[in-house]
Amino acid sequence: MTINRREFLKSSALASGVAVLGMYLPGFGGDEAKAAGTVHTPNAWVHIDDDNTITLISHMSEMGQGVYTSLPMLIAEELNVDINTIKFASAEVNPVYVNSLLGAQITGGSTAIRDAWEKLRIGGAQVRTMLVQAAANKWGMSASELQAENGIVSGGGKSATYGELAASAAQIEVPKEVKLKDPSQFKLVGKSIQRLDTPAKVNGTAGFGIDVKVPGMVYASIEQSPVIGGKPVSFDASKSKKMPGVIDVIQITDGVGVLADTYWHAFSARKKLKVKWEDGPISKLSTSRMWGAIKVAEKDIEPIKIRPDVGDASSAINSAKKKLKAEYTTSLLAHQPLEPMNMVAIVKGDTCELIGPTQFQQGAQGTAAAVLGIKPENVTVKTTFLGGGFGRRIELDFISQAVQLSKASGKPVKVLWNREDDMKHDFYRPMGLQRMQGGLDSDGKPVGIKFQLTSQSITQRAFGLPKKTLDPFMVEASVAPYEIPNTSHDVIIHDTGFRVGYLRAVSHTMNCFANECFMDEMANAAGADQVEYRMNLLGKHERFSNVLKIATKMADWGRKLPKGKALGVGIMEGYGTFMAQVVEVTVDGDNIRVNKVWVASDQGRMVNPEIVKQQLESGIIYGLSGALYGENTLTKGVVNESNFDSFPILRQNESPDIFMTLVDSTEKPGGVGEPSTSIIGAAVGNAVANATGKRLRSMPLATAMKKA
């Protein structure tokens, strides 16, 4: 900024009739320029209109996880306003909105509440303090004589709305230190508040990317190479151009786009295209070939320590009374959000506007700038509701496509993929191979355990993490919480050549499956009850012991069940949340049905318990789909699955009854969007083994069961 804070705020208020209050937040610098406040500048979380309309800004993308309610609740708590009287808006790209846990303006990793817990409360408290001081200055009173409640500052027989005070409040120096409410004073935080976005989603007014329309917009359907990474060499569009509504056919870096007046016209004409492809480097890649390479990667690639060894696991296992060894595997897995990839790009000269669903605003801005050769600040990003994300919308391929087509056509372009495009051109969860070894003493207690993961680094592909560098997103949940005297944890980073991406819960799901199923194998080898065995190894991990006790009590662990029916258990810490799950399954032949799931979750302080429940239920259903059915396969570089007929997901009539206990806690908030996704596969695998005596060591479990 080239003008100072007060000049900017004054001009903004005069021009728009809106006073926008800026805030200094720790970690973002304290100079006046950085304290200026609108959606376009750092540290802006609150908009107050002169009619007392209050708009709270969400710096996280809303993709069904409830941040348009939970984040405004944090601000509203300190601002002392009724959450049902405020509006919410999505932040544009700006450094103040950087997710401090991920280092970018990005939504993912169950970080929304963990990132916002303090800084948004500080933001609300700062604005409240400024409003009260403005009233005190106006009335010649002490700020201590006034109170701010429900959008009104009052005291000494006087009162004024926040809107009436906003302009003068904006002239007050932003307080760097404010007193936050003690949790005992919370009126909103910790309460089950109805989601603010529910009415719009019910009545159809919610704006998803797939709904966006702008003047002069054309639709684009893109023919992409059957082999991911392939490039168009030439194309024949003679038949396509004769189809109704077709405006143009344009080649871009990774495909050929048909532009038309409607999506259906664009898609129909696309089917008439004839494209010659250069298949690219993975044209000979297959699932079997990839597994073959993964299994021998340890011969050529030096393992990286996930954490320093404890004791000498190899010696302890070699001298153990009983020795166990197992290999667990997980497959490629597509994200498959309900709303397929889409984006509107409007390129005009050296500017670009993006409108649509993204989890990565900075990445979207940077991608558009790179495609066009312009400055990032010349790109604006307006984030709509996301019809699911699960990590897929961190990627930027569909954004680049929209920008290229808008630049080439000179028109606003809406790129819209269909389900087959989405399924066959994803960034897939990588394959994983976990080699497990364990040793038991004469009493059945574990004396040593070894864990070795071989998989692909998503962070190397996505963000250029140097090779031979530990990727923390690969090894989540690789270290189980049990107190075992000798342990070794390694990772072998093997690049299959196939493109991979972050999928909900990333590696927790893969590693928890191996660790928790192997823990059952050790308990069985010791002739011990699987829950009691875990309890004896949890030592001082009170939060783990507590959730395990609660979940198993809810499920009535140990009760006798009819033949073909059994319980299974799993525990895990993820994103600061401690969780236990017990499942009841029925196995009939090779058919696995999950009847019930009991969940005990200690996620620290909760902002909105109802949203926490929704997230845990959602995670279980999503995770169960992947655990039972989710698998993508490759033949000559082409993904075989194209839709839900070949990539089944959990149907409503297959969904289990879910029973839940949320632990009251004063610990700092943990993440809840992903942990429940990860444990379900292990719990189901353990239950199936208990029901049948067959140990399934690969997901998807339904496929493994048919092969068993």
Side-chain angles (χ1 to χ4, degrees), residues 476-477 504-513 516 571-575 579 581 619-620 622-624 627 673-683 699:
E476 297 161 321
R504 190 177 189 175
V506 195
S507 61
H508 283 93
T509 299
M510 305 158 65
N511 296 329
C512 180
F513 175 58
E516 283 300 285
I571 67 172
M572 192 193 78
E573 179 276 325
Y575 312 103
M579 187 179 297
Q581 292 182 15
I620 287 168
Y622 189 84
L624 193 52
E674 297 171 281
S676 64
T677 300
S678 304
I679 307 175
I680 190 71
M699 291 198 292

PDB file of all heavy atoms in Angstrom, residues 476-477 504-513 516 571-575 579 581 619-620 622-624 627 673-683 699:
ATOM      1  N   GLU A 476       2.297 -39.899   8.771  1.00  0.00           N
ATOM      2  CA  GLU A 476       1.295 -39.674   9.806  1.00  0.00           C
ATOM      3  C   GLU A 476       0.749 -41.020  10.292  1.00  0.00           C
ATOM      4  O   GLU A 476       0.479 -41.920   9.500  1.00  0.00           O
ATOM      5  CB  GLU A 476       0.151 -38.823   9.258  1.00  0.00           C
ATOM      6  CG  GLU A 476       0.589 -37.435   8.823  1.00  0.00           C
ATOM      7  CD  GLU A 476      -0.400 -36.771   7.886  1.00  0.00           C
ATOM      8  OE1 GLU A 476      -0.961 -37.471   7.021  1.00  0.00           O
ATOM      9  OE2 GLU A 476      -0.615 -35.560   8.018  1.00  0.00           O
ATOM     10  N   ALA A 477       0.603 -41.159  11.597  1.00  0.00           N
ATOM     11  CA  ALA A 477       0.082 -42.375  12.245  1.00  0.00           C
ATOM     12  C   ALA A 477       0.990 -43.584  12.046  1.00  0.00           C
ATOM     13  O   ALA A 477       0.577 -44.715  12.288  1.00  0.00           O
ATOM     14  CB  ALA A 477      -1.328 -42.703  11.767  1.00  0.00           C
ATOM     15  N   ARG A 504      -8.182 -36.983   1.730  1.00  0.00           N
ATOM     16  CA  ARG A 504      -8.658 -36.835   3.104  1.00  0.00           C
ATOM     17  C   ARG A 504      -7.979 -37.822   4.065  1.00  0.00           C
ATOM     18  O   ARG A 504      -8.084 -39.020   3.909  1.00  0.00           O
ATOM     19  CB  ARG A 504     -10.172 -37.041   3.141  1.00  0.00           C
ATOM     20  CG  ARG A 504     -10.821 -36.681   4.465  1.00  0.00           C
ATOM     21  CD  ARG A 504     -12.325 -36.847   4.361  1.00  0.00           C
ATOM     22  NE  ARG A 504     -13.006 -36.307   5.531  1.00  0.00           N
ATOM     23  CZ  ARG A 504     -14.337 -36.243   5.660  1.00  0.00           C
ATOM     24  NH1 ARG A 504     -15.115 -36.680   4.678  1.00  0.00           N
ATOM     25  NH2 ARG A 504     -14.895 -35.745   6.747  1.00  0.00           N
ATOM     26  N   ALA A 505      -7.292 -37.270   5.054  1.00  0.00           N
ATOM     27  CA  ALA A 505      -6.516 -37.993   6.071  1.00  0.00           C
ATOM     28  C   ALA A 505      -5.165 -38.457   5.558  1.00  0.00           C
ATOM     29  O   ALA A 505      -4.367 -39.001   6.321  1.00  0.00           O
ATOM     30  CB  ALA A 505      -7.288 -39.166   6.674  1.00  0.00           C
ATOM     31  N   VAL A 506      -4.869 -38.244   4.292  1.00  0.00           N
ATOM     32  CA  VAL A 506      -3.569 -38.497   3.675  1.00  0.00           C
ATOM     33  C   VAL A 506      -3.044 -39.879   4.085  1.00  0.00           C
ATOM     34  O   VAL A 506      -3.638 -40.886   3.748  1.00  0.00           O
ATOM     35  CB  VAL A 506      -2.556 -37.364   3.974  1.00  0.00           C
ATOM     36  CG1 VAL A 506      -1.366 -37.461   3.042  1.00  0.00           C
ATOM     37  CG2 VAL A 506      -3.227 -35.993   3.790  1.00  0.00           C
ATOM     38  N   SER A 507      -1.965 -39.945   4.874  1.00  0.00           N
ATOM     39  CA  SER A 507      -1.374 -41.253   5.177  1.00  0.00           C
ATOM     40  C   SER A 507      -1.864 -41.850   6.487  1.00  0.00           C
ATOM     41  O   SER A 507      -1.538 -42.999   6.798  1.00  0.00           O
ATOM     42  CB  SER A 507       0.151 -41.138   5.208  1.00  0.00           C
ATOM     43  OG  SER A 507       0.559 -40.225   6.204  1.00  0.00           O
ATOM     44  N   HIS A 508      -2.627 -41.117   7.283  1.00  0.00           N
ATOM     45  CA  HIS A 508      -3.175 -41.696   8.505  1.00  0.00           C
ATOM     46  C   HIS A 508      -3.925 -42.993   8.202  1.00  0.00           C
ATOM     47  O   HIS A 508      -3.786 -43.993   8.904  1.00  0.00           O
ATOM     48  CB  HIS A 508      -4.150 -40.715   9.172  1.00  0.00           C
ATOM     49  CG  HIS A 508      -3.489 -39.593   9.911  1.00  0.00           C
ATOM     50  ND1 HIS A 508      -3.226 -38.384   9.331  1.00  0.00           N
ATOM     51  CD2 HIS A 508      -3.050 -39.496  11.185  1.00  0.00           C
ATOM     52  CE1 HIS A 508      -2.663 -37.580  10.217  1.00  0.00           C
ATOM     53  NE2 HIS A 508      -2.532 -38.235  11.349  1.00  0.00           N
ATOM     54  N   THR A 509      -4.751 -42.938   7.150  1.00  0.00           N
ATOM     55  CA  THR A 509      -5.583 -44.091   6.820  1.00  0.00           C
ATOM     56  C   THR A 509      -4.729 -45.313   6.512  1.00  0.00           C
ATOM     57  O   THR A 509      -5.011 -46.424   6.974  1.00  0.00           O
ATOM     58  CB  THR A 509      -6.475 -43.756   5.613  1.00  0.00           C
ATOM     59  OG1 THR A 509      -7.328 -42.662   5.958  1.00  0.00           O
ATOM     60  CG2 THR A 509      -7.327 -44.939   5.216  1.00  0.00           C
ATOM     61  N   MET A 510      -3.678 -45.130   5.735  1.00  0.00           N
ATOM     62  CA  MET A 510      -2.811 -46.237   5.331  1.00  0.00           C
ATOM     63  C   MET A 510      -2.042 -46.802   6.523  1.00  0.00           C
ATOM     64  O   MET A 510      -2.000 -48.023   6.740  1.00  0.00           O
ATOM     65  CB  MET A 510      -1.835 -45.747   4.262  1.00  0.00           C
ATOM     66  CG  MET A 510      -2.502 -45.109   3.057  1.00  0.00           C
ATOM     67  SD  MET A 510      -1.405 -43.997   2.144  1.00  0.00           S
ATOM     68  CE  MET A 510      -0.179 -45.136   1.534  1.00  0.00           C
ATOM     69  N   ASN A 511      -1.446 -45.935   7.310  1.00  0.00           N
ATOM     70  CA  ASN A 511      -0.566 -46.379   8.386  1.00  0.00           C
ATOM     71  C   ASN A 511      -1.332 -46.881   9.604  1.00  0.00           C
ATOM     72  O   ASN A 511      -0.879 -47.807  10.289  1.00  0.00           O
ATOM     73  CB  ASN A 511       0.386 -45.248   8.774  1.00  0.00           C
ATOM     74  CG  ASN A 511       1.319 -44.880   7.636  1.00  0.00           C
ATOM     75  OD1 ASN A 511       1.691 -45.720   6.823  1.00  0.00           O
ATOM     76  ND2 ASN A 511       1.698 -43.608   7.552  1.00  0.00           N
ATOM     77  N   CYS A 512      -2.475 -46.279   9.879  1.00  0.00           N
ATOM     78  CA  CYS A 512      -3.303 -46.761  10.984  1.00  0.00           C
ATOM     79  C   CYS A 512      -3.798 -48.177  10.700  1.00  0.00           C
ATOM     80  O   CYS A 512      -3.854 -49.023  11.596  1.00  0.00           O
ATOM     81  CB  CYS A 512      -4.483 -45.818  11.208  1.00  0.00           C
ATOM     82  SG  CYS A 512      -5.581 -46.321  12.554  1.00  0.00           S
ATOM     83  N   PHE A 513      -4.159 -48.437   9.455  1.00  0.00           N
ATOM     84  CA  PHE A 513      -4.610 -49.772   9.052  1.00  0.00           C
ATOM     85  C   PHE A 513      -3.553 -50.818   9.392  1.00  0.00           C
ATOM     86  O   PHE A 513      -3.835 -51.860  10.012  1.00  0.00           O
ATOM     87  CB  PHE A 513      -4.913 -49.768   7.559  1.00  0.00           C
ATOM     88  CG  PHE A 513      -5.268 -51.103   6.970  1.00  0.00           C
ATOM     89  CD1 PHE A 513      -6.341 -51.831   7.457  1.00  0.00           C
ATOM     90  CD2 PHE A 513      -4.532 -51.627   5.916  1.00  0.00           C
ATOM     91  CE1 PHE A 513      -6.675 -53.068   6.903  1.00  0.00           C
ATOM     92  CE2 PHE A 513      -4.844 -52.855   5.357  1.00  0.00           C
ATOM     93  CZ  PHE A 513      -5.920 -53.581   5.856  1.00  0.00           C
ATOM     94  N   GLU A 516      -2.766 -50.829  13.541  1.00  0.00           N
ATOM     95  CA  GLU A 516      -3.824 -51.339  14.415  1.00  0.00           C
ATOM     96  C   GLU A 516      -4.197 -52.784  14.107  1.00  0.00           C
ATOM     97  O   GLU A 516      -4.554 -53.547  15.004  1.00  0.00           O
ATOM     98  CB  GLU A 516      -5.049 -50.431  14.331  1.00  0.00           C
ATOM     99  CG  GLU A 516      -4.898 -49.151  15.116  1.00  0.00           C
ATOM    100  CD  GLU A 516      -4.662 -49.420  16.603  1.00  0.00           C
ATOM    101  OE1 GLU A 516      -5.624 -49.778  17.310  1.00  0.00           O
ATOM    102  OE2 GLU A 516      -3.505 -49.299  17.049  1.00  0.00           O
ATOM    103  N   ILE A 571      -7.580 -47.569  17.429  1.00  0.00           N
ATOM    104  CA  ILE A 571      -7.373 -46.257  18.038  1.00  0.00           C
ATOM    105  C   ILE A 571      -6.336 -45.492  17.233  1.00  0.00           C
ATOM    106  O   ILE A 571      -5.532 -46.078  16.504  1.00  0.00           O
ATOM    107  CB  ILE A 571      -6.929 -46.351  19.515  1.00  0.00           C
ATOM    108  CG1 ILE A 571      -5.526 -46.978  19.624  1.00  0.00           C
ATOM    109  CG2 ILE A 571      -7.936 -47.120  20.336  1.00  0.00           C
ATOM    110  CD1 ILE A 571      -4.955 -46.932  21.027  1.00  0.00           C
ATOM    111  N   MET A 572      -6.358 -44.181  17.378  1.00  0.00           N
ATOM    112  CA  MET A 572      -5.383 -43.347  16.663  1.00  0.00           C
ATOM    113  C   MET A 572      -5.457 -41.929  17.181  1.00  0.00           C
ATOM    114  O   MET A 572      -6.518 -41.461  17.596  1.00  0.00           O
ATOM    115  CB  MET A 572      -5.669 -43.345  15.154  1.00  0.00           C
ATOM    116  CG  MET A 572      -4.562 -42.748  14.304  1.00  0.00           C
ATOM    117  SD  MET A 572      -5.107 -42.422  12.602  1.00  0.00           S
ATOM    118  CE  MET A 572      -6.036 -40.888  12.843  1.00  0.00           C
ATOM    119  N   GLU A 573      -4.318 -41.252  17.142  1.00  0.00           N
ATOM    120  CA  GLU A 573      -4.294 -39.796  17.310  1.00  0.00           C
ATOM    121  C   GLU A 573      -4.002 -39.183  15.959  1.00  0.00           C
ATOM    122  O   GLU A 573      -3.082 -39.606  15.251  1.00  0.00           O
ATOM    123  CB  GLU A 573      -3.215 -39.384  18.315  1.00  0.00           C
ATOM    124  CG  GLU A 573      -3.107 -37.875  18.537  1.00  0.00           C
ATOM    125  CD  GLU A 573      -2.242 -37.149  17.494  1.00  0.00           C
ATOM    126  OE1 GLU A 573      -1.242 -37.746  17.051  1.00  0.00           O
ATOM    127  OE2 GLU A 573      -2.579 -36.009  17.116  1.00  0.00           O
ATOM    128  N   GLY A 574      -4.791 -38.195  15.589  1.00  0.00           N
ATOM    129  CA  GLY A 574      -4.552 -37.483  14.346  1.00  0.00           C
ATOM    130  C   GLY A 574      -4.948 -36.030  14.489  1.00  0.00           C
ATOM    131  O   GLY A 574      -6.047 -35.727  14.971  1.00  0.00           O
ATOM    132  N   TYR A 575      -4.046 -35.098  14.140  1.00  0.00           N
ATOM    133  CA  TYR A 575      -4.341 -33.669  14.152  1.00  0.00           C
ATOM    134  C   TYR A 575      -4.734 -33.184  15.552  1.00  0.00           C
ATOM    135  O   TYR A 575      -5.544 -32.262  15.701  1.00  0.00           O
ATOM    136  CB  TYR A 575      -5.443 -33.353  13.145  1.00  0.00           C
ATOM    137  CG  TYR A 575      -5.210 -33.969  11.792  1.00  0.00           C
ATOM    138  CD1 TYR A 575      -5.910 -35.107  11.387  1.00  0.00           C
ATOM    139  CD2 TYR A 575      -4.259 -33.449  10.922  1.00  0.00           C
ATOM    140  CE1 TYR A 575      -5.680 -35.691  10.148  1.00  0.00           C
ATOM    141  CE2 TYR A 575      -4.031 -34.027   9.686  1.00  0.00           C
ATOM    142  CZ  TYR A 575      -4.740 -35.149   9.304  1.00  0.00           C
ATOM    143  OH  TYR A 575      -4.509 -35.727   8.079  1.00  0.00           O
ATOM    144  N   MET A 579      -8.864 -40.743  19.364  1.00  0.00           N
ATOM    145  CA  MET A 579     -10.118 -41.382  19.004  1.00  0.00           C
ATOM    146  C   MET A 579     -10.010 -42.895  19.081  1.00  0.00           C
ATOM    147  O   MET A 579      -8.958 -43.477  18.799  1.00  0.00           O
ATOM    148  CB  MET A 579     -10.528 -40.971  17.581  1.00  0.00           C
ATOM    149  CG  MET A 579     -11.908 -41.432  17.157  1.00  0.00           C
ATOM    150  SD  MET A 579     -12.313 -40.879  15.472  1.00  0.00           S
ATOM    151  CE  MET A 579     -12.283 -39.103  15.687  1.00  0.00           C
ATOM    152  N   GLN A 581     -12.508 -46.344  17.904  1.00  0.00           N
ATOM    153  CA  GLN A 581     -13.700 -46.828  17.218  1.00  0.00           C
ATOM    154  C   GLN A 581     -13.842 -48.324  17.443  1.00  0.00           C
ATOM    155  O   GLN A 581     -12.856 -49.060  17.414  1.00  0.00           O
ATOM    156  CB  GLN A 581     -13.631 -46.553  15.710  1.00  0.00           C
ATOM    157  CG  GLN A 581     -13.703 -45.094  15.319  1.00  0.00           C
ATOM    158  CD  GLN A 581     -13.688 -44.890  13.817  1.00  0.00           C
ATOM    159  OE1 GLN A 581     -13.899 -45.824  13.047  1.00  0.00           O
ATOM    160  NE2 GLN A 581     -13.428 -43.660  13.392  1.00  0.00           N
ATOM    161  N   GLY A 619     -16.666 -38.462   8.087  1.00  0.00           N
ATOM    162  CA  GLY A 619     -15.382 -39.130   7.931  1.00  0.00           C
ATOM    163  C   GLY A 619     -15.517 -40.639   7.953  1.00  0.00           C
ATOM    164  O   GLY A 619     -14.834 -41.349   7.203  1.00  0.00           O
ATOM    165  N   ILE A 620     -16.380 -41.144   8.808  1.00  0.00           N
ATOM    166  CA  ILE A 620     -16.581 -42.593   8.887  1.00  0.00           C
ATOM    167  C   ILE A 620     -17.162 -43.128   7.586  1.00  0.00           C
ATOM    168  O   ILE A 620     -16.700 -44.145   7.051  1.00  0.00           O
ATOM    169  CB  ILE A 620     -17.493 -42.935  10.081  1.00  0.00           C
ATOM    170  CG1 ILE A 620     -16.724 -42.742  11.387  1.00  0.00           C
ATOM    171  CG2 ILE A 620     -18.037 -44.361   9.979  1.00  0.00           C
ATOM    172  CD1 ILE A 620     -17.589 -42.779  12.621  1.00  0.00           C
ATOM    173  N   TYR A 622     -17.087 -41.728   4.563  1.00  0.00           N
ATOM    174  CA  TYR A 622     -16.088 -41.573   3.498  1.00  0.00           C
ATOM    175  C   TYR A 622     -14.991 -42.626   3.639  1.00  0.00           C
ATOM    176  O   TYR A 622     -14.579 -43.270   2.666  1.00  0.00           O
ATOM    177  CB  TYR A 622     -15.501 -40.163   3.546  1.00  0.00           C
ATOM    178  CG  TYR A 622     -14.618 -39.811   2.376  1.00  0.00           C
ATOM    179  CD1 TYR A 622     -15.156 -39.352   1.185  1.00  0.00           C
ATOM    180  CD2 TYR A 622     -13.232 -39.915   2.464  1.00  0.00           C
ATOM    181  CE1 TYR A 622     -14.346 -39.017   0.101  1.00  0.00           C
ATOM    182  CE2 TYR A 622     -12.414 -39.581   1.398  1.00  0.00           C
ATOM    183  CZ  TYR A 622     -12.975 -39.131   0.220  1.00  0.00           C
ATOM    184  OH  TYR A 622     -12.164 -38.805  -0.835  1.00  0.00           O
ATOM    185  N   GLY A 623     -14.506 -42.799   4.865  1.00  0.00           N
ATOM    186  CA  GLY A 623     -13.447 -43.767   5.101  1.00  0.00           C
ATOM    187  C   GLY A 623     -13.894 -45.188   4.860  1.00  0.00           C
ATOM    188  O   GLY A 623     -13.121 -46.028   4.375  1.00  0.00           O
ATOM    189  N   LEU A 624     -15.148 -45.480   5.190  1.00  0.00           N
ATOM    190  CA  LEU A 624     -15.669 -46.829   4.992  1.00  0.00           C
ATOM    191  C   LEU A 624     -15.808 -47.160   3.510  1.00  0.00           C
ATOM    192  O   LEU A 624     -15.555 -48.295   3.089  1.00  0.00           O
ATOM    193  CB  LEU A 624     -17.017 -46.965   5.704  1.00  0.00           C
ATOM    194  CG  LEU A 624     -17.595 -48.368   5.874  1.00  0.00           C
ATOM    195  CD1 LEU A 624     -16.587 -49.315   6.503  1.00  0.00           C
ATOM    196  CD2 LEU A 624     -18.873 -48.312   6.710  1.00  0.00           C
ATOM    197  N   ALA A 627     -12.297 -47.985   2.535  1.00  0.00           N
ATOM    198  CA  ALA A 627     -11.815 -49.207   3.173  1.00  0.00           C
ATOM    199  C   ALA A 627     -12.423 -50.454   2.557  1.00  0.00           C
ATOM    200  O   ALA A 627     -11.748 -51.479   2.405  1.00  0.00           O
ATOM    201  CB  ALA A 627     -12.114 -49.164   4.669  1.00  0.00           C
ATOM    202  N   GLY A 673     -11.899 -33.110  10.905  1.00  0.00           N
ATOM    203  CA  GLY A 673     -12.347 -33.417   9.552  1.00  0.00           C
ATOM    204  C   GLY A 673     -11.868 -34.752   9.023  1.00  0.00           C
ATOM    205  O   GLY A 673     -12.470 -35.309   8.112  1.00  0.00           O
ATOM    206  N   GLU A 674     -10.785 -35.287   9.621  1.00  0.00           N
ATOM    207  CA  GLU A 674     -10.147 -36.450   9.010  1.00  0.00           C
ATOM    208  C   GLU A 674      -9.906 -37.664   9.908  1.00  0.00           C
ATOM    209  O   GLU A 674      -9.870 -38.792   9.399  1.00  0.00           O
ATOM    210  CB  GLU A 674      -8.818 -36.002   8.383  1.00  0.00           C
ATOM    211  CG  GLU A 674      -9.019 -35.006   7.266  1.00  0.00           C
ATOM    212  CD  GLU A 674      -7.724 -34.378   6.779  1.00  0.00           C
ATOM    213  OE1 GLU A 674      -7.226 -33.465   7.451  1.00  0.00           O
ATOM    214  OE2 GLU A 674      -7.223 -34.804   5.735  1.00  0.00           O
ATOM    215  N   PRO A 675      -9.690 -37.525  11.217  1.00  0.00           N
ATOM    216  CA  PRO A 675      -9.313 -38.704  12.013  1.00  0.00           C
ATOM    217  C   PRO A 675     -10.273 -39.888  11.909  1.00  0.00           C
ATOM    218  O   PRO A 675      -9.827 -41.037  11.831  1.00  0.00           O
ATOM    219  CB  PRO A 675      -9.266 -38.151  13.444  1.00  0.00           C
ATOM    220  CG  PRO A 675      -8.940 -36.715  13.279  1.00  0.00           C
ATOM    221  CD  PRO A 675      -9.652 -36.294  12.027  1.00  0.00           C
ATOM    222  N   SER A 676     -11.571 -39.628  11.900  1.00  0.00           N
ATOM    223  CA  SER A 676     -12.510 -40.758  11.872  1.00  0.00           C
ATOM    224  C   SER A 676     -12.434 -41.516  10.554  1.00  0.00           C
ATOM    225  O   SER A 676     -12.795 -42.697  10.481  1.00  0.00           O
ATOM    226  CB  SER A 676     -13.940 -40.274  12.123  1.00  0.00           C
ATOM    227  OG  SER A 676     -14.386 -39.413  11.089  1.00  0.00           O
ATOM    228  N   THR A 677     -11.968 -40.833   9.497  1.00  0.00           N
ATOM    229  CA  THR A 677     -11.782 -41.489   8.203  1.00  0.00           C
ATOM    230  C   THR A 677     -10.744 -42.601   8.282  1.00  0.00           C
ATOM    231  O   THR A 677     -10.846 -43.617   7.590  1.00  0.00           O
ATOM    232  CB  THR A 677     -11.316 -40.448   7.162  1.00  0.00           C
ATOM    233  OG1 THR A 677     -12.305 -39.435   7.037  1.00  0.00           O
ATOM    234  CG2 THR A 677     -11.062 -41.072   5.808  1.00  0.00           C
ATOM    235  N   SER A 678      -9.768 -42.426   9.151  1.00  0.00           N
ATOM    236  CA  SER A 678      -8.584 -43.276   9.148  1.00  0.00           C
ATOM    237  C   SER A 678      -8.741 -44.561   9.944  1.00  0.00           C
ATOM    238  O   SER A 678      -8.161 -45.588   9.590  1.00  0.00           O
ATOM    239  CB  SER A 678      -7.397 -42.487   9.708  1.00  0.00           C
ATOM    240  OG  SER A 678      -7.205 -41.299   8.974  1.00  0.00           O
ATOM    241  N   ILE A 679      -9.483 -44.525  11.025  1.00  0.00           N
ATOM    242  CA  ILE A 679      -9.522 -45.666  11.944  1.00  0.00           C
ATOM    243  C   ILE A 679     -10.473 -46.744  11.462  1.00  0.00           C
ATOM    244  O   ILE A 679     -10.291 -47.929  11.748  1.00  0.00           O
ATOM    245  CB  ILE A 679      -9.940 -45.197  13.357  1.00  0.00           C
ATOM    246  CG1 ILE A 679      -9.042 -44.042  13.818  1.00  0.00           C
ATOM    247  CG2 ILE A 679      -9.852 -46.332  14.359  1.00  0.00           C
ATOM    248  CD1 ILE A 679      -9.455 -43.433  15.135  1.00  0.00           C
ATOM    249  N   ILE A 680     -11.472 -46.363  10.692  1.00  0.00           N
ATOM    250  CA  ILE A 680     -12.540 -47.291  10.350  1.00  0.00           C
ATOM    251  C   ILE A 680     -12.024 -48.521   9.605  1.00  0.00           C
ATOM    252  O   ILE A 680     -12.487 -49.641   9.837  1.00  0.00           O
ATOM    253  CB  ILE A 680     -13.657 -46.560   9.552  1.00  0.00           C
ATOM    254  CG1 ILE A 680     -14.887 -47.441   9.393  1.00  0.00           C
ATOM    255  CG2 ILE A 680     -13.155 -46.076   8.211  1.00  0.00           C
ATOM    256  CD1 ILE A 680     -15.654 -47.641  10.674  1.00  0.00           C
ATOM    257  N   GLY A 681     -11.063 -48.354   8.712  1.00  0.00           N
ATOM    258  CA  GLY A 681     -10.545 -49.489   7.959  1.00  0.00           C
ATOM    259  C   GLY A 681      -9.885 -50.513   8.857  1.00  0.00           C
ATOM    260  O   GLY A 681     -10.069 -51.735   8.694  1.00  0.00           O
ATOM    261  N   ALA A 682      -9.095 -50.033   9.830  1.00  0.00           N
ATOM    262  CA  ALA A 682      -8.437 -50.943  10.767  1.00  0.00           C
ATOM    263  C   ALA A 682      -9.455 -51.666  11.628  1.00  0.00           C
ATOM    264  O   ALA A 682      -9.357 -52.882  11.852  1.00  0.00           O
ATOM    265  CB  ALA A 682      -7.459 -50.167  11.637  1.00  0.00           C
ATOM    266  N   ALA A 683     -10.442 -50.939  12.137  1.00  0.00           N
ATOM    267  CA  ALA A 683     -11.455 -51.551  13.002  1.00  0.00           C
ATOM    268  C   ALA A 683     -12.254 -52.609  12.249  1.00  0.00           C
ATOM    269  O   ALA A 683     -12.546 -53.682  12.780  1.00  0.00           O
ATOM    270  CB  ALA A 683     -12.372 -50.475  13.561  1.00  0.00           C
ATOM    271  N   MET A 699      -6.347 -53.222   1.665  1.00  0.00           N
ATOM    272  CA  MET A 699      -7.584 -52.489   1.364  1.00  0.00           C
ATOM    273  C   MET A 699      -7.586 -52.184  -0.131  1.00  0.00           C
ATOM    274  O   MET A 699      -6.521 -51.875  -0.681  1.00  0.00           O
ATOM    275  CB  MET A 699      -7.662 -51.189   2.181  1.00  0.00           C
ATOM    276  CG  MET A 699      -7.874 -51.398   3.669  1.00  0.00           C
ATOM    277  SD  MET A 699      -8.463 -49.918   4.550  1.00  0.00           S
ATOM    278  CE  MET A 699      -7.064 -48.820   4.463  1.00  0.00           C
TER     279      MET A 699
END
